[in-house]
Amino acid sequence: MKLALKSLAILLILFVLATTGEADKKRPVPETSPQPGWQQLDKGLELGIFPAPVAAAGGDSLVRVLRIDPKYYQLKLLNASRNENGEPLTPKQWCQQNGLAAAINPSMYQADYKTSVSLMRTKVHTNNPRLSKDMTILAFDRQDAGVPRVKLIDRQCEDFQSWKQKYGTLIQSIRMISCTGKNVWKPQARRWSTSAIGVDDQDKVLFIHVRALYSTYDLINILKILPLNISRAMYTEGGPQAQLYINSGNQELELTGSYETNSNEANEGSISWPLPNVLGISKR
């Protein structure tokens, strides 16, 4: 009888262990978020993927940043308007056709699907000569070795008329972070995907893409919290047009945007839109 009871107890224990194991198999495994930090893609080129400290209304709540050292990579502004029959291309197509390692929106564009909303020019082509009221201008192709290779000029605290003589390429867009580190946007209810361009405290260039839906005000506060050492930034696009493509040779990443909250359009962000203008990078 004791032997029978002992055998029964052993069988019961085995049954409990077996059923517990099956339950563990069925229990969903929580998703893990990427660890904050930078991954080196090449000398002078790093990719950072950071979980935002505030969850987004839609999207993956990740901030992706390509950090570029202008000593090793040069910026290039490409415009469909430079050629008479120039056509908009996806960022990937711009990169493939021009030998670029990455490309992002340089600014928003007008209804003609070619012209930037404000000042945009290189040494050889002017896409838009008009200087608008926007306060930030990205400047590169320096004409003077005594100035930074890349500079985000803030018209509120710097003399643009003086600085513009020192650079061959100028791209004007909407300021996000001022020369004093201030968030210059106001709180808002509307949210969308965003592309932006910034510089850090070591004059490295930041190509920023956020697929998740945030208001620009909230996103700026997030960028200031993350370990980017960001000093200035400008907004370049929102919604599905906000894009970033990267191909470092050993890693390829194609990032697209999404429609804003309260939009009547489907919240689809998997299709890359053709862009009339891109800001790209290539090795020096």
Side-chain angles (χ1 to χ4, degrees), residues 33-55:
S33 298
Q35 291 298 314
W38 296 95
Q39 172 192 356
Q40 185 168 1
L41 303 179
D42 189 16
K43 189 172 184 179
L45 194 64
E46 298 166 283
L47 176 65
I49 302 178
F50 302 95
V54 180

Side-chain angles (χ1 to χ4, degrees), residues 48-69:
I49 302 178
F50 302 95
V54 180
D60 54 15
S61 299
L62 296 178
V63 176
R64 294 174 173 86
V65 182
L66 184 67
R67 185 162 66 185
I68 305 146
D69 189 335

